Structures are given as structure tokens and as C-alpha cells.
Amino acid sequence: MKSLAELQEIRNRAINQVNLRKDREDGIRVVVGMATCGIAAGARPVLNAFLQEVEKRNLTNVTVTQTGCIGMCRLEPIVEVYVPGQDKVTYVKMTEEKAARVVAEHIINNQPVSDFTIGSESK
């Protein structure tokens, strides 16, 4: 750190990261299963990919959070997307690349990516 301005920039980035994980009553929630089964299957990079995509696109109505075991360990990493007024969508066997597509298609354009949902995992 070389200046007060640089320190302020670091502070602002940290605050933005925290705000991405705060719950908003009227917004979209992305919940990543982060129990040991999810972490072992690669959930941490998936969580980070969602955080980066939401931040990169400056989506202020989206919260990215984590939870424990969702209950379908063989399908990890699992991500659930909650859009107010719609049914929950559960994505399975997620990757960082799939996370970017879910943000673009489901969260921004309101078109769930059925290729990544339960029932499609054998494709």
C-alpha cells in the first residue's frame, strides 16, 4: 500500500464483496451447497465464479450465499437459484463455466438453463 487512496480502494472492494453476500428480501438469491461433499466436488470455485460474475455485471439485486448439505451428494456441486414469484431452480454438477452461463441466461435474461438441472445430469 502506497497511499490513502489505495487503502480506500481496497476497503471499497472488500465492502462490495460483503454486500454481494448480504440477503435482499426482494432480490434474486443464488445459494451454493458448501458442505464437505460440495467442497470436495468443487463448490468453492463455483461460489467464487458466481460472485465474480455478479460483481462484473454490477447486479445489485442478486445475493450469493452458501449453505450446508443440500442432500444430493452425488450431484454436487449444487446451486439453487431463487427468483421472487417463481419456483426454485436447482442446478447440479456445476462448474465455473456453467456458473457464468447461469448468470447470463437465468439471472439476467430470466431463462433457466435446463441443461444443468436435475434430470439432465446424465446428458
Side-chain angles (χ1 to χ4, degrees), residues 49-103:
F50 273 103
L51 288 168
Q52 290 169 0
E53 283 293 317
V54 168
E55 181 179 25
K56 177 174 77 173
R57 297 169 184 271
N58 199 28
L59 302 174
T60 57
N61 67 326
V62 178
T63 302
V64 180
T65 62
Q66 65 187 49
T67 191
C69 185
I70 295 176
M72 300 175 288
C73 299
R74 69 180 184 84
L75 301 175
E76 293 285 358
I78 297 174
V79 174
E80 296 178 329
V81 176
Y82 298 85
V83 176
Q86 299 179 14
D87 290 336
K88 166 186 75 174
V89 176
T90 302
Y91 292 106
V92 297
K93 297 186 178 181
M94 289 297 292
T95 64
E96 296 168 77
E97 294 78 21
K98 290 178 179 180
R101 187 167 161 203
V102 167
V103 171

Side-chain angles (χ1 to χ4, degrees), residues 18-31 60-66 82:
V18 168
N19 286 339
L20 288 175
R21 301 190 73 174
K22 280 186 180 174
D23 212 4
R24 293 169 184 81
E25 289 181 22
D26 61 341
I28 297 169
R29 286 187 320 135
V30 177
V31 181
T60 57
N61 67 326
V62 178
T63 302
V64 180
T65 62
Q66 65 187 49
Y82 298 85

Side-chain angles (χ1 to χ4, degrees), residues 3-51:
S3 69
L4 188 56
E6 189 176 344
L7 178 61
Q8 184 66 33
E9 178 60 30
I10 292 169
R11 178 181 182 273
N12 289 340
R13 281 196 314 262
I15 288 171
N16 288 339
Q17 281 293 325
V18 168
N19 286 339
L20 288 175
R21 301 190 73 174
K22 280 186 180 174
D23 212 4
R24 293 169 184 81
E25 289 181 22
D26 61 341
I28 297 169
R29 286 187 320 135
V30 177
V31 181
V32 181
M34 292 285 289
T36 54
C37 51
I39 293 169
R44 191 170 312 281
V46 171
L47 174 73
N48 290 333
F50 273 103
L51 288 168

